[in-house]
Amino acid sequence: MVPVRAEVAALLLLLLVAAVGVAAGFRPGPPVSEDTLEKVAASLEMYVDLLPQMPKVLGYSLKYGRPAPTHLTIGMYQKKWKFHRDLPVTTVFAFGTSAESATFPGPTIEALQGVPLWVTWENHLPDRHILPWDPTVPVAIPRAGGVPTVVHLHGGVHPPQSDGHANAWFTAGFRERGPTWTTPTYAYPNAQSPGGVLWYHDHALGLTRANLLAGLLGAYVIRNPAAEAPLGLPCGDALDRVLVLADRSFYADGSLYMNCTGDNPGVHPQWQPEYFGDAVTVNGKAWPFLPVARRRYRFRIINASNARFFNLSLSNGLPFHVIGSDASYLPRPVAVTHLLVAVAEAFDVVVDFSESSEAELEVVNTAPYPYPDGDSPDHLTGKVMKFVVAPARLWDDHSRVPARLLDYVKVAEEEAAQRRYIVMYEYEDEATGNPTHLYINGKRPEDPATETPRAGTTEVWEVINLTADNHPLHLHLATFQAVRVRGLVELEEFKRCMERLNDAARCGVARHAVGEEVAVPEHERTWKNVVKLAPGFVTTVVVKFLMVDTGRAYPFDAAAEPGYVYHCHILDHEDNAMIRPLKLIR
Ligand SMILES: *[C@@H]1O[C@H](CO)[C@@H](O)[C@H](O)[C@H]1NC(C)=O
Ligand SMILES: *[C@@H]1O[C@H](CO)[C@@H](O)[C@H](O)[C@H]1NC(C)=O
Ligand SMILES: *[C@@H]1O[C@H](CO)[C@@H](O)[C@H](O)[C@H]1NC(C)=O
Ligand SMILES: CC(=O)N[C@H]1CO[C@H](CO)[C@@H](O)[C@@H]1O
Ligand SMILES: [Cu+2]
């Protein structure tokens, strides 16, 4: 491995700073201590704001009562948002069909399976970012200023031109466009099966962490009434709710806080390896509450934090009946009392409040940060939201948690056309010991694609974590599932060899991957968009480059330019620079 030499990085930094000015246009807020940020969060009374329901936007039209394709225009706006009763309103970036209706998170788009949707994503953002960003990581830097953005539909199966490629960014009015920009209007075929929840979010090169922190994300649900109605799950806007979890820190004036001093400021003036906020927001409110009836509800939970994992449970031990994960159903429900949600991971669950003997249930979080070996959450980040259960049963609950859900193609590891080793590296500054950047396979994002699967095939990816963190793996387009998680023995020897050769096969991965085997939890055994990668382990992942509900080929040319990407979904890692091209071939 060739870590970026400090001198080279420093020179690059000087050149870039001279060229664009530090964080082009961002005005740093007043200095603030960790203590002050925590005090602001601690001053917010919990459970005083009602859980917001984001506006619903239909991703289809009705023609003579039948669903038909439609075209939406959704903009990104600078907007005022109030994160808590006791915080002043503050500036965010938000998605909406208009400036007035834009929200944090954005509207929930409801699509129908088999009904294509076109969306023109418009950038109405000002010249200046509201959060700091770092010009020394691989990043989109427009010559004429402005905030570069591009929208990726996470979990979506769609053509590469509509994938929100990191270099397909654009500024306000499409004034300036990145090198792989092809079209202002994205096509979402919605051919994939219903279940779980997708989400759209910014994906601009090197800016994802700041753009999402500012609010550029929203949920997207694909439904198929004919296939789903027989399941009998809770349905309707009141009973089937999206919960978007995100940790954020606030200044006393209510504005969003992001540290603008890097851990290695000589290398990267602003970049830090992980953002952790002191407050937990759900649907844009810090620690909200939701009154519920004494019956079943369906919750589609998305973790939209930059780096925080959530290990969620209900304070009275009531189970989550997990019915899906990411954008798929499970074959059958799995009841769990604790639900570990990685960044960008989603779970689709049913909670039956009629089983609760308490009138109030807190959703609590016990996941250490960084996950898995970091600090335990405190009295603040250990709480998420509260459900207030109505005393009496007001109406009959005809919903159920069915014994069987939907089926998909089998995992069939033996069908793999190709086996690849994917290795996660973290590089440190020798003087400070702090991370300077992260790479996949020791390669930069701009290096030529090395993962070039054939459309329609199955592959096995052996993902090796050589770092101290759990890196949630996310592939665009493809769906995948972990089938085996095995510890590495004689890890130090293996690491030294990998640092020298960067070649898992020559370093004898088969000989080292014989340690403890950890079972993949049953509620994660479906076709996923994010797989957690435990440190010190090799995670064997079966990846399908085809439609997992039918086994058929994609209904579009997945091998077209500009291709896709795969990356670690800790946003701060993805931005520097744990992201690689994924280029399908015909
Ligand atoms: C911001 O980051 C710097 C450098 O890592 C650190 O010294 C400082 O304490 C951080 N500030 C806060 C408020 O966390
Ligand atoms: C989640 O928290 C519970 C209770 O603290 C613990 O028993 C469980 O091991 C945790 N799960 C994970 C995956 O960390
Ligand atoms: C959300 O996902 C990010 C990236 O995987 C992860 O770092 C973070 O811990 C997750 N947060 C939650 C609440 O799951
Ligand atoms: C294979 C490997 O090196 N894994 C690392 C993953 O992360 C842990 C920390 O949780 C490290 O100790 C391991 O070395
Ligand atoms: Cu990572």
Side-chain angles (χ1 to χ4, degrees):
M1 259 188 300
V2 191
V4 171
R5 303 254 311 267
E7 329 58 298
V8 177
L11 178 63
L12 198 67
L13 166 65
L14 282 175
L15 291 173
L16 278 163
V17 169
V20 299
V22 174
F26 166 73
R27 283 203 195 97
V32 64
S33 70
E34 280 175 51
D35 223 34
T36 308
L37 293 170
E38 199 186 320
K39 282 208 187 91
V40 173
S43 75
L44 304 177
E45 193 178 330
M46 289 185 183
Y47 318 134
V48 295
D49 287 288
L50 182 64
L51 176 84
Q53 181 141 17
M54 302 347 278
K56 179 159 90 174
V57 174
L58 292 185
Y60 55 91
S61 59
L62 289 172
K63 282 219 169 82
Y64 312 110
R66 313 243 322 242
T70 195
H71 180 177
L72 298 173
T73 299
I74 298 183
M76 296 163 244
Y77 298 94
Q78 179 162 303
K79 181 82 206 224
K80 294 288 183 200
W81 189 255
K82 196 169 164 62
F83 285 99
H84 186 273
R85 181 194 69 188
D86 302 333
L87 282 175
V89 292
T90 192
T91 306
V92 298
F93 291 168
F95 281 106
T97 49
S98 66
E100 297 68 43
S101 65
T103 48
F104 178 123
T108 299
I109 300 175
E110 290 212 0
L112 292 178
Q113 185 180 13
V115 181
L117 166 66
W118 285 268
V119 180
T120 302
W121 299 103
E122 290 184 346
N123 178 332
H124 296 282
L125 297 172
D127 283 344
R128 197 184 290 278
H129 210 297
I130 57 169
L131 292 172
W133 55 279
D134 195 315
T136 66
V137 303
V139 61
I141 301 183
R143 281 180 301 276
V147 178
T149 58
V150 63
V151 181
H152 170 59
L153 177 58
H154 180 110
V157 176
H158 44 244
Q161 299 89 339
S162 299
D163 192 49
H165 192 269
N167 271 317
W169 52 266
F170 50 94
T171 56
F174 300 104
R175 189 174 62 200
E176 211 167 323
R177 301 164 213 163
T180 59
W181 186 91
T182 46
T183 172
T185 300
Y186 279 14
Y188 300 114
N190 299 321
Q192 66 203 87
S193 104
V197 58
L198 291 72
W199 57 297
Y200 57 95
H201 63 80
D202 174 72
H203 213 295
L205 187 72
L207 286 167
T208 303
R209 71 193 182 294
N211 287 351
L212 264 75
L213 207 69
L216 293 179
L217 60 115
Y220 187 113
V221 175
I222 298 178
R223 300 187 189 279
N224 181 335
E228 292 181 288
L231 300 177
L233 292 161
C235 66
D237 291 343
L239 302 175
D240 176 358
R241 307 279 302 243
V242 173
L243 305 178
V244 180
L245 274 49
D247 59 340
R248 295 289 185 268
S249 285
F250 302 103
Y251 288 101
D253 72 357
S255 55
L256 287 166
Y257 168 78
M258 188 180 188
N259 199 326
C260 59
T261 309
D263 282 358
N264 295 289
V267 182
H268 297 301
Q270 183 273 330
W271 182 80
Q272 295 213 340
E274 270 133 21
Y275 176 93
F276 293 110
D278 291 304
V280 178
T281 69
V282 187
N283 294 356
K285 293 286 179 195
W287 298 295
F289 73 95
L290 178 68
V292 291
R294 202 159 273 286
R295 56 158 299 140
R296 290 183 199 87
Y297 283 72
R298 178 174 184 172
F299 297 107
R300 305 181 196 234
I301 305 171
I302 302 172
N303 167 17
S305 298
N306 280 32
R308 184 177 293 279
F309 282 63
F310 290 95
N311 181 355
L312 302 175
S313 55
L314 294 165
S315 52
N316 62 356
L318 215 59
F320 298 106
H321 299 274
V322 186
I323 55 169
S325 183
D326 296 343
S328 300
Y329 278 103
L330 288 168
R332 59 187 66 79
V334 181
V336 298
T337 53
H338 291 85
L339 195 58
L340 185 71
V341 197
V343 183
E345 198 175 30
F347 283 97
D348 192 351
V349 305
V350 173
V351 176
D352 187 351
F353 294 104
S354 73
E355 292 170 358
S356 174
S357 44
E358 286 82 7
E360 302 195 340
L361 287 72
E362 287 178 297
V363 180
V364 292
N365 167 38
T366 54
Y369 64 102
Y371 190 81
D373 296 321
D375 297 335
S376 289
D378 57 13
H379 60 292
L380 299 173
T381 51
K383 303 282 173 82
V384 176
M385 64 174 287
K386 186 167 86 174
F387 294 111
V388 181
V389 187
R393 222 184 151 106
L394 287 183
W395 67 83
D396 286 340
D397 183 356
H398 297 293
S399 74
R400 62 195 173 109
V401 180
R404 293 204 57 83
L405 295 155
L406 298 189
D407 283 319
Y408 300 85
V409 296
K410 294 273 178 302
V411 178
E413 186 179 350
E414 64 284 358
E415 284 170 12
Q418 173 85 259
R419 183 173 298 260
R420 302 178 193 276
Y421 291 103
I422 308 291
V423 189
M424 306 291 192
Y425 291 104
E426 180 170 309
Y427 302 77
E428 290 171 356
D429 182 88
E430 276 177 26
T432 63
N434 287 331
T436 54
H437 60 295
L438 303 98
Y439 281 160
I440 297 175
N441 290 341
K443 292 194 161 56
R444 302 175 304 167
E446 60 269 36
D447 289 334
T450 41
E451 282 63 61
T452 53
R454 190 171 300 282
T457 63
T458 299
E459 296 198 347
V460 170
W461 287 24
E462 304 273 9
V463 193
I464 304 169
N465 155 32
L466 288 179
T467 81
D469 293 332
N470 190 318
H471 301 275
L473 174 75
H474 174 48
L475 275 72
H476 288 205
L477 178 72
T479 43
F480 44 100
Q481 51 185 304
V483 293
R484 216 171 310 110
V485 183
R486 276 168 319 191
L488 285 159
V489 300
E490 290 160 32
L491 183 61
E492 284 314 310
E493 180 196 324
F494 181 68
K495 271 172 113 162
R496 276 197 303 276
C497 178
M498 288 297 288
E499 278 166 22
R500 228 174 45 246
L501 301 180
N502 185 25
D503 184 330
R506 278 173 68 199
C507 289
V509 64
R511 185 163 50 79
H512 288 282
V514 293
E516 178 197 5
E517 184 155 343
V518 180
V520 177
E522 201 182 340
H523 62 278
E524 295 179 14
R525 288 196 211 153
T526 186
W527 293 104
K528 304 256 306 157
N529 303 116
V530 172
V531 163
K532 297 180 274 275
L533 300 174
F537 283 84
V538 176
T539 305
T540 303
V541 181
V542 174
V543 189
K544 293 263 183 206
F545 296 96
L546 44 80
M547 303 299 296
V548 286
D549 51 343
T550 58
R552 291 206 200 99
Y554 296 122
F556 50 81
D557 181 11
E561 295 295 339
Y564 301 89
V565 292
Y566 75 98
H567 57 87
C568 167
H569 220 298
I570 292 184
L571 304 179
D572 316 272
H573 293 183
E574 166 186 347
D575 279 349
N576 185 25
M578 236 177 184
I579 179 166
R580 289 281 299 148
L582 174 69
K583 184 69 179 72
L584 271 67
I585 56 173
R586 284 177 199 108

